[in-house]
Amino acid sequence: LSDWSSDVCSSDLPDEKAVLIDEALKRLQAQDPEKARVVILKFFEGLTNKEVAECMEVNERTVDRYWAYAKVWLLQSIRSHA
């Protein structure tokens, strides 16, 4: 997330960015809780893919796929609601 979050709304204040990310994450959580959980565990908890996989009882490739999907989904969601 940090890779692209700075690009999302470069003119917005940090608090506004945080609100946009939080709102997008809530939308993702409503639509796909597992992918939102990956975001929370990786981005906010700082877990590695291996740790996330163990926590969620899935393999690392699943975490990779969920993370890739979630990053794109969140970016599109933020851009469409900004």
Side-chain angles (χ1 to χ4, degrees):
L1 256 150
S2 61
D3 309 8
W4 57 266
S5 64
S6 61
D7 296 337
V8 172
C9 305
S10 58
S11 63
D12 288 338
L13 299 172
D15 288 344
E16 293 171 340
K17 287 182 187 179
V19 169
L20 290 171
I21 292 169
D22 182 60
E23 289 172 352
L25 186 53
K26 286 177 183 175
R27 289 189 293 272
L28 178 60
Q29 196 162 19
Q31 180 179 321
D32 198 329
E34 285 190 334
K35 290 179 180 77
R37 187 170 181 212
V38 168
V39 172
I40 292 166
L41 292 173
K42 283 183 62 69
F43 188 69
F44 295 104
E45 299 294 328
L47 300 183
T48 65
N49 283 2
K50 182 178 180 179
E51 292 167 329
V52 173
E54 290 171 1
C55 181
M56 294 180 65
E57 298 179 350
V58 299
N59 64 48
E60 284 184 67
R61 287 189 49 91
T62 299
V63 173
D64 286 336
R65 283 193 322 273
Y66 284 6
W67 178 244
Y69 175 91
K71 287 191 299 182
V72 171
W73 192 97
L74 288 168
L75 180 59
Q76 290 175 344
S77 179
I78 289 168
R79 285 185 175 161
S80 70
H81 288 87

